């Protein structure tokens, strides 16, 4: 059974910081990438940050220079350090895991239940 356990969400004032985490457990072929997406009211879900095997990272333009993603492979845990938070960062944040065996053509996406991050002005 695969589980993605998210933690660290909450309420913070504009300009403040939060660190959220996601720990993945269960049976995997091999995790290829982990990351975070978010969805705010009235908007589509969007990529915030992603980190792949080897450490390559991708960030949304809106968070570059403010957010930093990291990964602890031993714990199958991904972290997102969020600094200089803005009201526009308010959203439900969803942990994302890409798992699979690309050699044989199997790939799977898993999603956490989502945690609320609210930034007050």
């Amino acid at each position: 059974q695969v589980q993605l356990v998210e933690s660290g969400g909450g309420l913070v004032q504009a300009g403040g910081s939060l660190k959220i985490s996601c720990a993945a457990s269960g049976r995997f072929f091999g995790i290829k990438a982990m990351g975070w997406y978010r969805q705010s009211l009235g908007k589509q879900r969007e990529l915030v940050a992603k980190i792949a095997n080897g450490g390559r990272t991708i960030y949304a333009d809106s968070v570059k220079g403010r957010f930093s993603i990291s990964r602890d492979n031993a714990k199958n845990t991904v972290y997102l350090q969020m600094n200089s938070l803005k009201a526009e960062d308010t959203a439900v944040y969803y942990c994302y895991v890409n798992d699979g065996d690309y050699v044989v053509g199997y790939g799977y996406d898993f999603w956490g239940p989502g945690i609320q991050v609210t930034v007050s002005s």
Side-chain angles (χ1 to χ4, degrees), residues 73-115:
N73 291 326
K75 298 179 180 179
N76 273 347
T77 300
V78 64
Y79 306 91
L80 186 68
Q81 177 68 51
M82 302 182 288
N83 300 321
S84 301
L85 283 161
K86 305 174 181 179
E88 65 193 48
D89 296 316
T90 295
V92 176
Y93 285 69
Y94 297 91
C95 180
Y96 161 82
V97 174
N98 177 249
D99 174 63
D101 186 339
Y102 296 157
V103 174
V104 298
Y106 292 99
Y108 304 90
D109 292 336
F110 297 97
W111 296 92
I115 53 173

Side-chain angles (χ1 to χ4, degrees), residues 3 11 17 20 24-25 34 36-38 41 96 104-105 115:
Q3 281 192 314
L11 175 66
S17 298
I20 57 177
S25 63
M34 303 183 74
W36 294 92
Y37 288 69
R38 69 186 180 187
L41 290 175
Y96 161 82
V104 298
I115 53 173

Side-chain angles (χ1 to χ4, degrees), residues 38-76:
R38 69 186 180 187
Q39 186 170 18
S40 57
L41 290 175
K43 296 183 179 180
Q44 299 296 312
R45 186 176 297 187
E46 65 176 355
L47 173 69
V48 180
K50 181 166 61 178
I51 182 167
N53 289 357
R56 179 177 175 85
T57 57
I58 298 173
Y59 294 93
D61 288 341
S62 60
V63 307
K64 287 181 179 177
R66 300 189 297 120
F67 291 9
S68 180
I69 191 167
S70 61
R71 178 176 171 180
D72 186 333
N73 291 326
K75 298 179 180 179
N76 273 347

